[in-house]
């Protein structure tokens, strides 16, 4: 009489292979949301306006400073931050040109001539516009969460810049950025909460 053991072994191997395949598929699904998918999702929004509230902790002063205002972005490379309180200030970036205004005074310079400012500007602008190339060029980027609720951590690749800006963490929902946290190497940190205006970015 023929032993059924070889058949059982074959069935067992097939079952093990099937389970391994299902486990691999589940792992791939869980880890599937990445920078490419996130930036593709964000790049669908070509312009947007929002209000912001920022709290900045300054360790040297042992104080938390608050400011508020509005944000505007337009693809591919325009970003405006206009602070309305406690005093009016405006920062506008188009391409590599940075214009800073305080009251009636303004100053224009090349963004790459101020690398410590550029790294924060590019973290926010690159995320808002879904510019994966810019983000990957300047940062070690890691994405967590899902398309519906995500978080993007950006650590400057340049060691000199990392000595000033430790990391920038951007979080959002769907195609909308909702919060930007900046941690400086000296311990100062800021959290900017963003509220899209009705009819702006979805």
């Amino acid at each position: 009489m023929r032993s059924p053991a070889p058949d059982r072994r074959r069935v067992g191997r097939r079952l093990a292979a099937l389970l391994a395949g299902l486990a691999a598929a589940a792992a791939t699904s869980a880890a599937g949301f990445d920078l490419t998918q996130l930036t593709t999702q964000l790049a669908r929004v070509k312009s947007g306006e929002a209000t912001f509230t920022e709290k900045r902790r300054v360790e040297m002063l042992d104080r938390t400073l608050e400011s508020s205002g509005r944000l505007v972005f337009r693809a591919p490379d325009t970003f405006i931050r206009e602070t309305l309180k406690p005093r009016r200030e405006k920062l506008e970036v188009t391409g590599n040109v940075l214009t800073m205004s305080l009251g009636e005074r303004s100053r224009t310079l090349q963004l790459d001539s101020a690398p410590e400012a550029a790294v924060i500007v590019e973290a926010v602008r690159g995320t808002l516009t879904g510019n994966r190339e810019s983000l990957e060029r300047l940062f070690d980027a890691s994405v967590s969460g899902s398309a519906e609720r995500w978080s993007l951590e950006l650590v400057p690749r340049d060691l000199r810049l990392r000595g000033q800006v430790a990391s920038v963490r951007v979080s959002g929902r769907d195609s909308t950025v909702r919060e930007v946290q900046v941690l400086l190497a000296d311990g100062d940190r800021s959290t900017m909460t963003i509220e899209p205006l009705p009819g702006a970015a979805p």
Side-chain angles (χ1 to χ4, degrees), residues 108-187:
T108 298
L109 66 154
Q110 298 297 299
L111 184 61
D112 55 16
S113 69
E116 66 286 349
V119 73
I120 298 175
V121 168
E122 292 292 10
V124 179
R125 179 173 66 171
T127 304
L128 285 171
T129 58
N131 190 333
R132 181 174 60 87
E133 182 180 343
S134 174
L135 294 175
E136 288 186 323
R137 185 178 71 253
L138 296 170
F139 304 99
D140 289 324
S142 57
V143 176
S144 59
S146 65
E148 291 76 25
R149 199 177 190 95
W150 50 267
S151 180
L152 171 63
E153 185 167 8
L154 301 167
V155 177
R157 289 183 181 274
D158 189 309
L159 292 178
R160 292 171 299 176
L161 291 177
R162 199 180 301 176
Q164 299 177 55
V165 181
S167 67
V168 179
R169 180 182 289 272
V170 187
S171 57
R173 301 172 191 167
D174 301 312
S175 300
T176 306
V177 174
R178 301 305 296 264
E179 186 176 272
V180 178
Q181 296 179 319
V182 179
L183 176 62
L184 302 182
D186 62 5

Side-chain angles (χ1 to χ4, degrees), residues 48-52 69-72 176 194-202:
E49 295 185 35
T51 59
F52 75 85
R70 71 185 191 107
L71 302 174
V72 177
T176 306
I194 300 170
E195 187 63 38
L197 292 174

Side-chain angles (χ1 to χ4, degrees), residues 2-179:
R2 186 178 176 183
S3 172
D7 289 334
R8 287 200 297 269
R9 284 196 294 269
R10 281 196 293 270
V11 171
R13 285 196 296 267
R14 288 172 184 169
L15 181 59
L18 176 61
L19 292 174
L22 291 173
T28 300
S29 176
F33 191 65
D34 58 16
L35 183 64
T36 298
Q37 291 171 305
L38 175 59
T39 51
T40 298
Q41 175 173 291
L42 292 167
R44 296 192 187 108
V45 182
K46 301 303 181 183
S47 65
E49 295 185 35
T51 59
F52 75 85
T53 302
E54 183 178 65
K55 293 184 178 181
R56 181 184 174 196
R57 177 67 182 176
V58 182
E59 294 298 329
M60 183 178 293
L61 301 178
D62 193 25
R63 291 179 58 193
T64 298
L65 307 177
E66 295 191 22
S67 61
S68 61
R70 71 185 191 107
L71 302 174
V72 177
F73 79 92
R74 293 187 295 272
D77 58 7
T78 294
F79 170 67
I80 301 170
R81 170 184 161 133
E82 185 175 11
T83 303
L84 302 176
K85 295 178 181 180
R87 61 178 182 175
R88 297 185 71 94
E89 298 177 346
K90 186 176 181 181
L91 180 150
E92 181 171 352
V93 185
T94 300
N96 192 45
V97 178
L98 167 64
T99 301
M100 297 178 291
S101 303
L102 177 59
E104 299 298 320
R105 296 176 297 169
S106 64
R107 180 187 177 195
T108 298
L109 66 154
Q110 298 297 299
L111 184 61
D112 55 16
S113 69
E116 66 286 349
V119 73
I120 298 175
V121 168
E122 292 292 10
V124 179
R125 179 173 66 171
T127 304
L128 285 171
T129 58
N131 190 333
R132 181 174 60 87
E133 182 180 343
S134 174
L135 294 175
E136 288 186 323
R137 185 178 71 253
L138 296 170
F139 304 99
D140 289 324
S142 57
V143 176
S144 59
S146 65
E148 291 76 25
R149 199 177 190 95
W150 50 267
S151 180
L152 171 63
E153 185 167 8
L154 301 167
V155 177
R157 289 183 181 274
D158 189 309
L159 292 178
R160 292 171 299 176
L161 291 177
R162 199 180 301 176
Q164 299 177 55
V165 181
S167 67
V168 179
R169 180 182 289 272
V170 187
S171 57
R173 301 172 191 167
D174 301 312
S175 300
T176 306
V177 174
R178 301 305 296 264
E179 186 176 272

